[in-house]
């Protein structure tokens, strides 16, 4: 470093002074030893002289940096001399910061991050609330939307949108590709304040007349897929076989999940071939978002919405009699729109915070346990004249070095965690792409907390030591331990450490068991020897009769495929696509403000239950005779039956579906999983597809052999029936289940397991350091007791009493903490699992034995030493 | 205990140096030629008949400060007993500074003297 020369010169100069002064004193007749002592006294504390002279020679700022460098050098030397301490502290902080940043980034992507539009906080959602235990949706009909849009004064604008699927051909002759897209109101881009990257957005008049304006705005993704042609505006493309003109390209910043392009809402009936799609007030098919005017509160907007809804109820009693419109912010929507991942984010978040607290407590413990070692060094330096502020500054620098190193190492860990979590495919209805990015606020926050905890605990010993009297510090090798207060602080630290370790470990064990339980248990439906592909005849504008005929032909001809056991149709796919419906189960009194219950449904054929191995527990399955004209029937699952008709026979009960049709229950199917592997049991309604032809269907084919071998013949079969029929999602169930269920659960269990292990490792190290330190503080007492005749067992008892008390208190606090967390988790999220007592039976003995071991080893060492040595050592 | 010259004087008669005054005294001492730290400290003490007490520890910061301000220059040289030592000498700037300071000091001490002993002036 710099001025090494200068530094030597300065030391030499001081030495020169001392020599001369000594000589002078000798010349006056003093003996050499007295002469040297007098010279030193005359000069004053040499450390301070050196320091002051340095400061005078170089100026303040220069000295400040010089001192910083000196402190850093000193700190690095200290770290190199204590590698295990340094490594443990840095790794603890790295784990804590990394886990915290990764989890917060995930939560941010899933829940907190607003829409990628200007002033996202002004955006709110409007609609009728559909609530199930698993998700909440807000939906509105087109006529209601138009009334709200035109009558309100709270919003700058209200937009409506719906997700669609349509075949897209880049040029008239090309073959169409099925793509997810959105039909949006004419003011969509204006309300969101999105300026297209190329061309323009829709004009309000472009959603006025049905079918008049075939214009399309491409997403940035699709535009790039088509070759990123800057002259694409005006190009003719075909959507669902209809010619459209490209008028714009959305900016890259506004990328919406599963949306390749945007068309005006008025074109939606045209491309689906259902001319009255937007006419019914009963068809709650649109998502409505609005931008609040500045200064308008959510409450006053809600009040205005209520007034308009009141008028609608009066004007259209047949459809709006019992509808209630609510407003929800984007964040509220994100939280309620999928409880499963809110629960997941919640659990992972709590785990990450617990890891972080344990990490900080860990480092605090390590620093505290090292305090007496430092005390001696500090006392020495105080004695040669170093100033208190200077020493505190040095300790601060060292602490900051640890915190900084921990945080820096935490960064790659956070990145690794984020990469890991990106593998989770969340079953989400979110509009925006939940892409997890490293969150800088989380990083800053974590570093800040880590820094302050390290600095706080690094400083406490410094301040206490620098305040003590030097003589005492020198006499006792282990430092300047006195007073109940300090013992208290350390015991508190032990208790906190134990409590949060317990919380972390119970949560991790609980979550781990919840997810692995799902994986090791058999899936409640067939997941092997099954192939599937999806068709949507509506894309070719098939009529209902044509659709039915297509599926019938397909079912009949499929028997020619070798090794095919059975073929089934279903409109929903397990652990994936589901179709919600509103129902009124007969004889069940819904809560007063809830006009109907929402459940998931699937339209299935008569082979569905056999093919997917979902047994019918009571009553019968569907039959070919359950066709249009025959009495409308339905099959419910166990949860549906027990929720709405507890202790009653569900067979023969009736259900009003979507407010229009009564169906009679003819059977009860075993519960399956519909959305997510760890979902709680949920009600489900099966309807015969012949009575409710759903256009888009997934074909499930079971085989005795390899399911991959079925895919090609199935495709060929569909193409023989209609060469133009688009096929999508052709895959084996093995592949699908692995991607949607197994790997997701694996990633989650890995994350939880990793956090649990990190927590366990840190708890062990931290607890050991603190405990053994606490007990080593008792060495003198042990010595005295042994000297006055106590035997080893007495000593051990004393240690057990004093050392283990904070551990026991911590365990009690941890039990209370984890019970409370468990309860609030259950209250907030419908999880099926509870902590079993076996979780505690595993964890409490573990923590106790670590603590006992940590107390026992130093106690044993202390009790083995000769009492006199122990006393002298103190 | 040592019997340094300091002990010859009753503690109440000693005067601690005012801030800034030490600088002036150092410059004044070096007017006669280069000297090293130890000599400077003792010249100030003996020159004032032991009335002024220099905290020797504070001498070195003062010397280095003056070097930084360009009022002194420091040079490594050999001392009388052939040891390496640092010699300080007055620069031209230091000389001018000393003139100014001693003028100021004269005016100040005269003014204070008039107030303290009005009859003697």
């Amino acid at each position: 470093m710099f001025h090494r020369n200068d530094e030597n010169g300065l030391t030499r100069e001081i030495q020169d002074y001392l020599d001369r002064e000594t000589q002078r004193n000798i010349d006056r007749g003093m003996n050499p030893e007295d002469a040297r002592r007098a010279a030193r006294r005359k000069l004053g504390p040499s450390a301070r002289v050196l320091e002051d002279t340095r400061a005078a020679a170089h100026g303040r700022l220069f000295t400040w940096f010089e001192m910083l460098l000196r402190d850093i050098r000193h700190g690095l030397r200290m770290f190199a001399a204590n590698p295990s301490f340094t490594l443990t502290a840095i790794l603890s902080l790295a784990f804590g910061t990394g886990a915290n940043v990764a989890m917060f980034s995930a939560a941010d992507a899933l829940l907190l991050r607003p829409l990628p539009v200007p002033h996202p906080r002004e955006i709110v959602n409007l609609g009728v609330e559909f609530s199930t235990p698993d998700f909440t949706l807000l939906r509105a009909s087109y006529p209601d939307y138009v009334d709200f849009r035109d009558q309100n004064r709270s919003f700058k604008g209200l937009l409506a949108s719906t997700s669609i699927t349509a075949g897209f051909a880049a040029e008239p002759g090309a073959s169409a590709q099925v793509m997810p897209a959105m039909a949006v109101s004419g003011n969509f881009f204006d309300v969101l304040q999105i300026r297209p990257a190329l061309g323009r957005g829709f004009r309000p008049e472009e959603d006025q007349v049905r079918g008049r304006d075939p214009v399309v705005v491409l997403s940035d993704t699709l535009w790039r897929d088509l070759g990123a042609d800057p002259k694409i505006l005006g190009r003719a493309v075909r959507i669902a076989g209809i010619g459209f003109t490209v008028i714009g390209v959305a900016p890259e910043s506004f990328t919406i999940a599963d949306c390749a392009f945007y068309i005006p809402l008025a074109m939606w009936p045209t491309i689906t071939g259902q001319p009255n799609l937007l006419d019914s007030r009963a068809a709650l098919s649109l998502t409505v978002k609005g931008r609040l005017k500045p200064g308008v509160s959510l409450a006053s907007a809600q009040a205005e919405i209520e007034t308009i809804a009141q008028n609608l109820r009066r004007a259209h009693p047949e459809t709006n009699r019992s509808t209630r419109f609510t407003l929800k912010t984007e964040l509220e929507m994100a939280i309620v729109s999928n409880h499963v991942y809110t629960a997941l984010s919640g659990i992972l978040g709590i785990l990450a915070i617990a890891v972080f607290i344990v990490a900080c407590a860990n480092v605090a413990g390590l620093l505290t346990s090292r305090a007496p070692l430092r005390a001696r060094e500090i006392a020495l330096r105080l004695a040669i004249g170093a100033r208190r502020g200077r020493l505190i500054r040095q300790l601060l620098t060292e602490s900051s070095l640890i915190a900084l190193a921990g945080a820096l190492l935490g960064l790659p860990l956070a990145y690794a965690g984020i990469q890991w979590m990106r593998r989770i495919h969340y079953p989400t209805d979110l509009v925006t792409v939940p892409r997890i990015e490293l969150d800088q606020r989380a990083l800053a926050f974590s570093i800040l907390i880590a820094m302050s905890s390290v600095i706080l605990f690094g400083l406490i010993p410094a301040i206490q030591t620098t305040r003590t009297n030097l003589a005492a510090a020198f006499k006792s090798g282990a430092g300047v331990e006195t007073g109940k207060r300090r013992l208290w602080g350390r015991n508190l630290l032990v208790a906190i450490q134990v409590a949060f370790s317990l919380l972390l470990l119970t949560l991790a064990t609980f979550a781990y068991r919840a997810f692995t339980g799902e994986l090791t248990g058999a899936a409640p439906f067939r997941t092997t020897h099954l192939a599937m592909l999806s068709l949507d005849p509506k894309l070719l504008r098939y009529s209902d009769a044509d659709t039915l005929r297509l599926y019938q032909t397909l079912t009949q001809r499929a028997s020619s495929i070798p090794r095919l056991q059975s073929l089934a149709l279903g409109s929903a796919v397990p652990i994936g696509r589901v179709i919600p419906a509103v129902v009124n189960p007969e004889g069940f009194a819904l809560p007063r403000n809830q006009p109907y219950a929402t459940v998931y449904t699937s339209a299935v054929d008569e082979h569905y239950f056999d093919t997917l191995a979902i047994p019918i527990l009571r009553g019968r399955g569907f039959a070919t005779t359950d066709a249009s004209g025959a009495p409308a029937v339905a099959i419910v699952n166990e949860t549906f039956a027990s929720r709405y008709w507890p202790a009653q026979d569900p067979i023969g009960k009736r259900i009003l579906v979507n407010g229009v049709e009564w169906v009679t229950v003819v059977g009860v199917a075993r519960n399956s999983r519909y959305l997510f592997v760890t979902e709680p049991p949920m009600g489900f309604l099966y309807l015969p597809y012949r009575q409710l032809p759903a256009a888009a269907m997934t074909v499930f084919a079971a085989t005795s052999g390899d399911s991959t071998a079925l895919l090609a013949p199935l495709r060929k079969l569909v193409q023989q029936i209609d060469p133009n029929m688009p096929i999508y999602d052709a895959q084996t169930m093995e592949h699908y289940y692995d991607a949607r269920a197994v790997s997701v659960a694996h990633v989650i269990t890995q994350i939880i397991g990793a956090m649990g292990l990190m927590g366990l490792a840190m708890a062990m190290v931290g607890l050991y350091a603190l405990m053994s330190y606490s007990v080593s503080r008792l060495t003198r007492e042990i010595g005295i007791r042994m000297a006055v005749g106590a035997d080893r067992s007495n000593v051990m008892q004393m240690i057990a009493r004093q050392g283990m008390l904070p551990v026991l208190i911590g365990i009690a606090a941890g039990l209370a903490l984890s019970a409370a967390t468990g309860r609030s988790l259950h209250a907030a999220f419908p999880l099926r699992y509870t902590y079993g007592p076996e979780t505690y039976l595993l964890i409490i003995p573990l923590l106790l034995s670590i603590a006992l071991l940590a107390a026992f080893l130093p106690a044993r060492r202390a009790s083995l030493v000769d009492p006199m040595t122990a006393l002298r050592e103190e | 205990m040592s019997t340094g010259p300091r002990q010859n004087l009753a503690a109440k008669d000693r005067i601690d140096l005012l801030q800034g005054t030490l600088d002036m005294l150092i410059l004044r001492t070096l007017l006669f030629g280069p000297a090293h730290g130890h000599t400077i400290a003792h010249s100030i003490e003996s020159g004032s008949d032991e009335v002024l007490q220099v905290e020797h520890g504070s001498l070195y910061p003062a010397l280095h400060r003056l070097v930084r301000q360009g009022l002194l220059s420091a040079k490594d040289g050999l001392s009388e007993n052939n040891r390496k030592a640092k010699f300080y000498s007055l620069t031209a700037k230091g000389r001018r500074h000393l003139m100014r300071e001693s003028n100021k000091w004269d005016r100040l001490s005269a003014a204070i003297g008039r107030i303290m002993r009005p009859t003697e002036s």
Side-chain angles (χ1 to χ4, degrees), chain A residues 13 17 20-21 24 28 56, chain B residues 5 36 38 42 56 68 88:
Chain A
E13 198 176 357
Y17 169 87
R20 282 172 200 278
E21 185 68 18
R24 188 166 178 264
R28 293 175 175 199
Chain B
H36 47 69
H38 187 251
H42 283 285
H56 288 198
R68 186 160 58 90
Y88 295 91

Side-chain angles (χ1 to χ4, degrees), chain B residues 29-108:
Chain B
T29 310
L30 289 173
L31 202 54
F32 308 119
H36 47 69
H38 187 251
T39 318
I40 298 171
H42 283 285
S43 318
I44 293 173
E45 275 182 3
S46 56
S48 71
D49 298 326
E50 315 288 333
V51 175
L52 295 178
Q53 284 298 310
V54 180
E55 173 75 49
H56 288 198
S58 63
L59 181 72
Y60 288 92
L63 283 170
H64 283 259
R65 191 169 51 241
L66 292 169
V67 170
R68 186 160 58 90
Q69 289 165 358
L71 303 178
L72 294 185
S73 68
K75 209 167 69 204
D76 282 333
L78 286 182
S79 69
E80 57 287 351
N81 48 9
N82 238 359
R83 277 179 26 180
K84 244 176 137 184
K86 208 173 200 178
F87 284 87
Y88 295 91
S89 54
L90 216 51
T91 61
K93 191 179 169 194
R95 222 171 271 276
R96 283 198 299 277
H97 186 76
L98 177 62
M99 297 309 289
R100 267 201 307 280
E101 286 299 300
S102 60
N103 279 339
K104 232 159 77 186
W105 177 257
D106 289 344
R107 286 204 303 279
L108 181 69

Side-chain angles (χ1 to χ4, degrees), chain A residues 2 5 33 72 79 171 444 570:
Chain A
F2 65 121
N5 238 345
E33 201 184 320
I72 290 174
F79 296 156
E171 44 215 51

Side-chain angles (χ1 to χ4, degrees), chain A residues 160-162 164 166 168 181-186 188-189 202 206-207 213-218 239 244 259 261-272:
Chain A
S161 66
T162 186
I164 59 170
F168 180 93
M182 282 175 92
V184 303
S185 56
F188 182 81
F189 292 103
F202 301 118
E206 280 170 335
D207 73 349
D213 302 285
V215 288
V216 58
V217 173
L218 306 181
I239 294 168
F244 274 69
C259 180
F261 55 85
Y262 308 84
I263 59 166
L265 208 46
M267 293 304 293
W268 188 31
T270 317
I271 65 155
T272 49

Side-chain angles (χ1 to χ4, degrees), chain A residues 130-137 333-343 427 429 578 598-600 639 643 674-676 678-684 828-831:
Chain A
F130 291 77
S131 275
T132 73
D134 323 291
F135 74 109
T136 298
L137 290 176
M333 237 14 245
I335 289 171
V336 297
S337 67
N338 192 320
H339 293 166
V340 173
Y341 76 56
T342 307
D429 189 44
V578 287
T598 309
V599 292
Y600 291 122
T639 305
R643 184 176 297 158
Y674 307 99
L675 258 188
F676 198 64
T678 51
E679 74 192 17
M682 56 166 85
F684 201 84
F829 319 119
L831 283 166

